[in-house]
Amino acid sequence: MKFLLKNGYAVDYADDFEGKTDILIEDGIIAAKGENLSAEGAEVIDCEGLTVLPGLCDMHVHLRDPGQTYKEDVITGCAAAAAGGVTAVVCMPNTVPAADTPEVIEYILDKAKSASAKVYPVGCITKGLKGEELCDYNALKAAGCVAVSDDGRPVEAAAMMESGMKGADAAGLAVISHCEDLKVINGGIINDGEVSRQLGVKGMSRLSEDTVTARELAISRVCGVPIHIAHVSTEGSADLIRAAKSVGIKCTCETGPHYFTLTDEKLLSRDADYRMNPPLRTEADRQAIINALVDGTIDCIITDHAPHSAEDKADFEKAPNGVVGLETSLAATLTELYHKNVLTLKDIVKLMCVNPRKILGIPGGSLRVGEPADIAIADINEQWTVDPVKLHSKSHNSCFKGMTFKGKVKYTFLDGKSVYKD
Ligand code: DOR
Ligand code: ZN
């Protein structure tokens, strides 16, 4: 199948190109780029007024497969990805069983063969996410992992994390750290502050996130191995990472759209769909996260797509943490950061397409001729209201429900095939 993307506005950070162009897709790759390309034998997609981006890479997704497929599975998670313009999904290992052996990785990759996004699994740092015994990183790498993480949980002992980081680096795997001190959290369920006091529920102190972020940076510094800090939500962590980068510590980090769009005021509704870990913080943190995106301290925008069923989320205090996000991440980012003149489209492509792939060694992220035709096409001005029931994910726990965004994905292509059309 041949497609001609006619008259779109292409934004390509990697190729340092931004402007109106036709793009010809043939045999799964970007075959030509330029003005007035011939449409012979091609299906023409009228992209006048639309923005053409490299397919997004979301480096923090929970696909729940194997083991919790009532929440999500590889196929539905990738359908949600396609609907969000995401063509590369990096999936976290807190499945059941945990992704700590080549067998689980092979199962995920096998299922992903028929999915509408490319899947890049993350293996565990420690067996069963228990923090007791390191996984076989060479085996995980050989099976197809791009990184290791115990995401969902911290690696509690610094010595264990140090061994994990050294071992993973030697095997050529990135390490993604979920920074949390469980003793500080001590059963807390939302940000510790005015709102938690008002609701009379236990808070999650920033100290939990900030102390473990500082620890990971210290390990990275002492051992000279890289660390990627997951889901940065506090001003303190952003400041620590900025300072670490300034002295040459090999660190990178990510945040999610909820942290730069919402605050813990949302929790006043006592709705568990606004609960995730780390939690929504305060306006000062939200602003600090935006500043850290602007000055390059934060490298990537991810979703931490964490599907949970309505039953799981029913009880505000007992519900598991997590929100879905694959289908709203570009829209939320365009609304909050592009339309408010905080970031340019090229900045957003860097944060959502280029940097995640660079950190993990995943190919793609450019609209250059010869690249795989993994492409997202959006109407950056179309307004729409998030209706969780319409999401492609099996779960509907969106913290953006009812919000109106400006920016909608219209088409997604994966290896030159149409995998989503609005
Ligand atoms: O909110 C979260 N949900 N944070 C995590 O770290 C884990 C995730 C999940 O797996 O549900
Ligand atoms: Zn996490």
Side-chain angles (χ1 to χ4, degrees):
M1 191 74 217
K2 216 167 142 179
F3 291 96
L4 181 67
L5 312 181
K6 189 86 198 144
N7 281 328
Y9 187 81
V11 182
D12 189 354
Y13 176 84
D15 203 23
D16 195 21
F17 175 85
E18 183 167 349
K20 231 174 171 183
T21 183
D22 294 349
I23 291 175
L24 183 71
I25 301 175
E26 198 177 0
D27 298 329
I29 64 161
I30 297 174
K33 212 173 105 186
E35 276 174 56
N36 300 316
L37 295 182
S38 161
E40 207 185 308
E43 183 181 322
V44 177
I45 313 273
D46 180 9
C47 294
E48 185 65 47
L50 300 182
T51 302
V52 183
L53 310 168
L56 277 53
C57 173
D58 187 339
M59 68 177 288
H60 197 137
V61 173
H62 298 271
L63 289 176
R64 306 294 189 219
D65 196 356
Q68 293 181 305
T69 52
Y70 70 99
K71 297 179 195 252
E72 194 76 285
D73 62 44
V74 171
I75 301 301
T76 58
C78 289
V86 175
T87 57
V89 168
V90 177
C91 63
M92 287 296 164
N94 62 340
T95 48
V96 184
D100 57 4
T101 60
E103 287 69 32
V104 180
I105 303 303
E106 282 154 16
Y107 161 85
I108 294 167
L109 288 174
D110 189 55
K111 207 157 171 185
K113 282 180 188 155
S114 58
S116 51
K118 293 174 184 171
V119 175
Y120 298 91
V122 176
C124 299
I125 298 174
T126 66
K127 290 183 185 168
L129 308 160
K130 291 199 176 93
E132 290 162 4
E133 211 182 323
L134 299 180
C135 292
D136 180 343
Y137 300 137
N138 289 319
L140 290 174
K141 169 86 179 177
C145 283
V146 292
V148 290
S149 179
D150 274 2
D151 186 63
R153 294 180 54 78
V155 174
E156 288 183 75
M160 183 59 67
M161 190 60 173
E162 179 194 4
S163 306
M165 283 168 61
K166 283 181 177 165
D169 186 53
L173 291 166
V175 180
I176 303 170
S177 177
H178 168 111
C179 297
E180 178 178 10
D181 183 324
L182 297 172
K183 292 208 172 80
V184 173
I185 291 295
N186 189 26
I189 59 164
I190 65 170
N191 180 56
D192 184 45
E194 202 49 53
V195 174
S196 67
R197 279 189 287 281
Q198 209 170 312
L199 292 179
V201 300
K202 259 188 157 171
M204 304 163 94
S205 168
R206 289 177 183 74
L207 196 58
S208 158
E209 181 172 341
D210 296 358
T211 51
V212 181
T213 297
R215 183 194 80 175
E216 310 309 46
L217 297 170
I219 297 172
S220 173
R221 177 179 198 143
V222 169
C223 304
V225 293
I227 187 68
H228 179 82
I229 307 292
H231 40 54
V232 175
S233 76
T234 65
E235 180 172 19
S237 284
D239 285 349
L240 286 164
I241 294 162
R242 182 180 297 108
K245 285 186 170 189
S246 78
V247 295
I249 294 174
K250 294 190 227 169
C251 57
T252 52
C253 71
E254 58 180 43
T255 193
H258 38 282
Y259 300 119
F260 58 75
T261 305
L262 307 175
T263 67
D264 63 352
E265 300 256 304
K266 280 281 179 193
L267 276 313
L268 291 169
S269 62
R270 284 189 160 268
D271 181 344
D273 284 349
Y274 298 108
R275 277 193 41 219
M276 75 290 290
N277 184 20
L280 294 176
R281 306 282 186 187
T282 61
E283 183 58 22
D285 294 290
R286 192 182 77 85
Q287 286 299 337
I289 294 301
I290 291 174
N291 293 340
L293 282 160
V294 170
D295 75 8
T297 297
I298 297 179
D299 303 274
C300 310
I301 295 174
I302 54 84
T303 61
D304 198 358
H305 180 82
H308 292 294
S309 72
E311 294 70 42
D312 294 339
K313 280 288 196 181
D315 185 314
F316 175 60
E317 294 189 34
K318 294 199 185 83
N321 291 304
V323 290
V324 292
L326 281 165
E327 296 169 69
T328 48
S329 59
L330 182 61
T333 302
L334 289 169
T335 303
E336 202 57 39
L337 303 178
Y338 173 71
H339 289 296
K340 293 187 179 171
N341 296 317
V342 176
L343 294 179
T344 64
L345 290 173
K346 254 193 200 167
D347 294 332
I348 290 170
V349 167
K350 183 179 174 187
L351 287 157
M352 303 186 89
C353 310
V354 176
N355 284 349
R357 287 180 171 97
K358 198 157 121 190
I359 291 164
L360 299 174
I362 294 172
S366 169
L367 299 171
R368 264 190 291 253
V369 172
E371 290 281 334
D374 296 348
I375 298 174
I377 304 175
D379 180 341
I380 61 171
N381 294 310
E382 182 173 331
Q383 304 220 27
W384 63 290
T385 300
V386 179
D387 177 357
V389 179
K390 291 194 183 140
L391 299 176
H392 295 72
S393 171
K394 270 189 201 175
S395 295
H396 303 146
N397 50 312
S398 170
C399 61
F400 297 123
K401 55 185 170 186
M403 283 182 69
T404 297
F405 286 138
K406 195 170 175 185
K408 196 163 205 297
V409 175
K410 306 303 284 182
Y411 302 89
T412 304
F413 288 88
L414 186 74
D415 283 328
K417 292 185 205 69
S418 168
V419 287
Y420 177 74
K421 185 173 187 295
D422 179 34

